[in-house]
mmCIF file of all heavy atoms in Angstrom:
data_model
loop_
_atom_site.group_PDB
_atom_site.id
_atom_site.type_symbol
_atom_site.label_atom_id
_atom_site.label_comp_id
_atom_site.label_asym_id
_atom_site.label_seq_id
_atom_site.Cartn_x
_atom_site.Cartn_y
_atom_site.Cartn_z
ATOM 1 N N ALA A 14 226.568 -67.085 254.531
ATOM 2 C CA ALA A 14 226.318 -68.407 255.131
ATOM 3 C C ALA A 14 227.428 -68.812 256.101
ATOM 4 O O ALA A 14 227.446 -69.944 256.589
ATOM 5 C CB ALA A 14 226.179 -69.457 254.024
ATOM 6 N N PHE A 37 237.675 -87.554 245.870
ATOM 7 C CA PHE A 37 236.217 -87.361 245.766
ATOM 8 C C PHE A 37 235.787 -87.440 244.299
ATOM 9 O O PHE A 37 236.547 -87.082 243.396
ATOM 10 C CB PHE A 37 235.806 -86.011 246.346
ATOM 11 C CG PHE A 37 235.710 -86.008 247.846
ATOM 12 C CD1 PHE A 37 236.792 -85.623 248.618
ATOM 13 C CD2 PHE A 37 234.547 -86.426 248.479
ATOM 14 C CE1 PHE A 37 236.723 -85.637 250.009
ATOM 15 C CE2 PHE A 37 234.462 -86.447 249.871
ATOM 16 C CZ PHE A 37 235.550 -86.055 250.634
ATOM 17 N N LYS A 52 230.309 -70.240 233.185
ATOM 18 C CA LYS A 52 230.165 -71.621 232.732
ATOM 19 C C LYS A 52 231.501 -72.246 232.309
ATOM 20 O O LYS A 52 231.864 -73.341 232.747
ATOM 21 C CB LYS A 52 229.168 -71.657 231.569
ATOM 22 C CG LYS A 52 228.865 -73.044 231.089
ATOM 23 C CD LYS A 52 227.923 -73.031 229.897
ATOM 24 C CE LYS A 52 227.943 -74.396 229.244
ATOM 25 N NZ LYS A 52 227.548 -74.378 227.851
ATOM 26 N N LEU A 64 236.402 -83.939 238.170
ATOM 27 C CA LEU A 64 235.333 -83.935 239.171
ATOM 28 C C LEU A 64 233.996 -83.731 238.470
ATOM 29 O O LEU A 64 233.931 -83.071 237.422
ATOM 30 C CB LEU A 64 235.537 -82.778 240.152
ATOM 31 C CG LEU A 64 236.687 -82.914 241.160
ATOM 32 C CD1 LEU A 64 236.963 -81.562 241.816
ATOM 33 C CD2 LEU A 64 236.384 -83.976 242.215
ATOM 34 N N GLN A 87 203.167 -62.235 246.996
ATOM 35 C CA GLN A 87 203.209 -62.896 245.679
ATOM 36 C C GLN A 87 204.482 -62.559 244.911
ATOM 37 O O GLN A 87 205.063 -63.417 244.241
ATOM 38 C CB GLN A 87 201.944 -62.507 244.886
ATOM 39 C CG GLN A 87 201.621 -63.419 243.722
ATOM 40 C CD GLN A 87 202.322 -62.992 242.432
ATOM 41 O OE1 GLN A 87 202.676 -61.818 242.292
ATOM 42 N NE2 GLN A 87 202.564 -63.941 241.529
ATOM 43 N N MET A 100 219.077 -71.026 239.011
ATOM 44 C CA MET A 100 220.030 -71.976 239.605
ATOM 45 C C MET A 100 219.908 -73.365 238.965
ATOM 46 O O MET A 100 220.885 -74.113 238.886
ATOM 47 C CB MET A 100 219.828 -72.057 241.121
ATOM 48 C CG MET A 100 220.158 -70.767 241.870
ATOM 49 S SD MET A 100 221.828 -70.130 241.564
ATOM 50 C CE MET A 100 222.801 -71.189 242.627
ATOM 51 N N GLY A 114 216.039 -76.261 249.653
ATOM 52 C CA GLY A 114 216.048 -76.500 251.098
ATOM 53 C C GLY A 114 215.376 -75.332 251.788
ATOM 54 O O GLY A 114 214.151 -75.252 251.872
ATOM 55 N N LYS A 126 198.877 -73.602 256.770
ATOM 56 C CA LYS A 126 199.743 -74.709 256.325
ATOM 57 C C LYS A 126 199.283 -75.220 254.957
ATOM 58 O O LYS A 126 200.113 -75.452 254.067
ATOM 59 C CB LYS A 126 199.711 -75.837 257.360
ATOM 60 C CG LYS A 126 200.657 -76.969 257.012
ATOM 61 C CD LYS A 126 200.811 -77.982 258.123
ATOM 62 C CE LYS A 126 201.915 -78.969 257.748
ATOM 63 N NZ LYS A 126 202.120 -80.005 258.764
ATOM 64 N N ALA A 129 200.370 -72.815 252.256
ATOM 65 C CA ALA A 129 201.816 -72.883 252.007
ATOM 66 C C ALA A 129 202.164 -74.151 251.225
ATOM 67 O O ALA A 129 202.961 -74.106 250.274
ATOM 68 C CB ALA A 129 202.582 -72.840 253.327
ATOM 69 N N ASP A 131 200.220 -75.772 249.230
ATOM 70 C CA ASP A 131 199.729 -75.607 247.852
ATOM 71 C C ASP A 131 200.730 -74.808 247.023
ATOM 72 O O ASP A 131 201.044 -75.164 245.884
ATOM 73 C CB ASP A 131 198.379 -74.875 247.841
ATOM 74 C CG ASP A 131 197.221 -75.826 248.094
ATOM 75 O OD1 ASP A 131 197.460 -77.054 248.092
ATOM 76 O OD2 ASP A 131 196.095 -75.341 248.324
ATOM 77 N N ASP A 139 206.164 -76.775 238.765
ATOM 78 C CA ASP A 139 206.695 -75.869 237.750
ATOM 79 C C ASP A 139 208.216 -76.098 237.570
ATOM 80 O O ASP A 139 208.710 -76.339 236.456
ATOM 81 C CB ASP A 139 206.383 -74.438 238.223
ATOM 82 C CG ASP A 139 207.024 -73.373 237.379
ATOM 83 O OD1 ASP A 139 207.624 -73.716 236.352
ATOM 84 O OD2 ASP A 139 206.945 -72.186 237.754
ATOM 85 N N GLY A 141 210.153 -78.551 238.757
ATOM 86 C CA GLY A 141 210.496 -79.947 238.426
ATOM 87 C C GLY A 141 210.388 -80.159 236.923
ATOM 88 O O GLY A 141 211.274 -80.753 236.291
ATOM 89 N N GLU A 160 214.066 -75.193 261.189
ATOM 90 C CA GLU A 160 214.308 -74.514 259.904
ATOM 91 C C GLU A 160 213.079 -74.417 259.021
ATOM 92 O O GLU A 160 213.004 -73.563 258.155
ATOM 93 C CB GLU A 160 215.450 -75.213 259.155
ATOM 94 C CG GLU A 160 216.757 -75.137 259.933
ATOM 95 C CD GLU A 160 217.938 -75.692 259.171
ATOM 96 O OE1 GLU A 160 218.012 -75.510 257.950
ATOM 97 O OE2 GLU A 160 218.800 -76.316 259.821
ATOM 98 N N VAL A 164 207.718 -79.605 255.941
ATOM 99 C CA VAL A 164 207.978 -81.044 255.811
ATOM 100 C C VAL A 164 209.259 -81.356 256.579
ATOM 101 O O VAL A 164 210.333 -80.876 256.220
ATOM 102 C CB VAL A 164 208.144 -81.440 254.317
ATOM 103 C CG1 VAL A 164 208.507 -82.907 254.185
ATOM 104 C CG2 VAL A 164 206.866 -81.135 253.542
ATOM 105 N N THR A 179 204.341 -83.614 238.443
ATOM 106 C CA THR A 179 205.595 -83.994 237.786
ATOM 107 C C THR A 179 206.210 -85.190 238.517
ATOM 108 O O THR A 179 206.010 -85.350 239.715
ATOM 109 C CB THR A 179 206.611 -82.824 237.800
ATOM 110 O OG1 THR A 179 207.863 -83.293 237.308
ATOM 111 C CG2 THR A 179 206.837 -82.272 239.192
ATOM 112 N N ASP A 197 213.705 -93.632 263.472
ATOM 113 C CA ASP A 197 214.556 -94.720 262.983
ATOM 114 C C ASP A 197 215.055 -94.310 261.594
ATOM 115 O O ASP A 197 214.296 -94.314 260.623
ATOM 116 C CB ASP A 197 213.721 -96.004 262.931
ATOM 117 C CG ASP A 197 214.506 -97.203 262.428
ATOM 118 O OD1 ASP A 197 215.496 -97.025 261.684
ATOM 119 O OD2 ASP A 197 214.106 -98.333 262.760
ATOM 120 N N PRO A 221 231.657 -84.027 260.437
ATOM 121 C CA PRO A 221 231.807 -85.094 259.445
ATOM 122 C C PRO A 221 231.490 -86.476 260.038
ATOM 123 O O PRO A 221 231.593 -86.688 261.254
ATOM 124 C CB PRO A 221 233.287 -84.987 259.055
ATOM 125 C CG PRO A 221 233.630 -83.560 259.333
ATOM 126 C CD PRO A 221 232.852 -83.173 260.546
ATOM 127 N N PRO A 230 226.113 -98.507 260.114
ATOM 128 C CA PRO A 230 225.767 -99.770 259.437
ATOM 129 C C PRO A 230 224.290 -99.915 259.063
ATOM 130 O O PRO A 230 223.991 -100.247 257.904
ATOM 131 C CB PRO A 230 226.266 -100.837 260.425
ATOM 132 C CG PRO A 230 227.425 -100.165 261.116
ATOM 133 C CD PRO A 230 227.006 -98.735 261.268
ATOM 134 N N ALA A 235 220.272 -99.850 254.720
ATOM 135 C CA ALA A 235 219.021 -99.312 254.167
ATOM 136 C C ALA A 235 219.262 -98.713 252.781
ATOM 137 O O ALA A 235 218.471 -98.910 251.854
ATOM 138 C CB ALA A 235 218.428 -98.273 255.107
ATOM 139 N N ALA A 247 229.043 -84.656 251.534
ATOM 140 C CA ALA A 247 229.380 -84.201 252.891
ATOM 141 C C ALA A 247 228.983 -82.748 253.079
ATOM 142 O O ALA A 247 229.760 -81.834 252.812
ATOM 143 C CB ALA A 247 230.868 -84.388 253.140
ATOM 144 N N PRO A 253 237.648 -80.806 262.193
ATOM 145 C CA PRO A 253 238.314 -79.736 262.953
ATOM 146 C C PRO A 253 238.703 -78.555 262.074
ATOM 147 O O PRO A 253 238.897 -77.452 262.567
ATOM 148 C CB PRO A 253 239.554 -80.440 263.519
ATOM 149 C CG PRO A 253 239.814 -81.571 262.566
ATOM 150 C CD PRO A 253 238.479 -82.008 262.056
ATOM 151 N N SER A 255 238.698 -77.504 257.391
ATOM 152 C CA SER A 255 238.181 -77.963 256.096
ATOM 153 C C SER A 255 238.869 -79.249 255.636
ATOM 154 O O SER A 255 238.217 -80.227 255.260
ATOM 155 C CB SER A 255 238.376 -76.882 255.039
ATOM 156 O OG SER A 255 237.608 -75.759 255.374
#
Side-chain angles (χ1 to χ4, degrees):
F37 280 93
K52 184 183 165 204
L64 288 166
Q87 198 272 336
M100 294 305 281
K126 184 171 187 181
D131 277 350
D139 172 6
E160 298 186 37
V164 176
T179 173
D197 180 335
S255 296

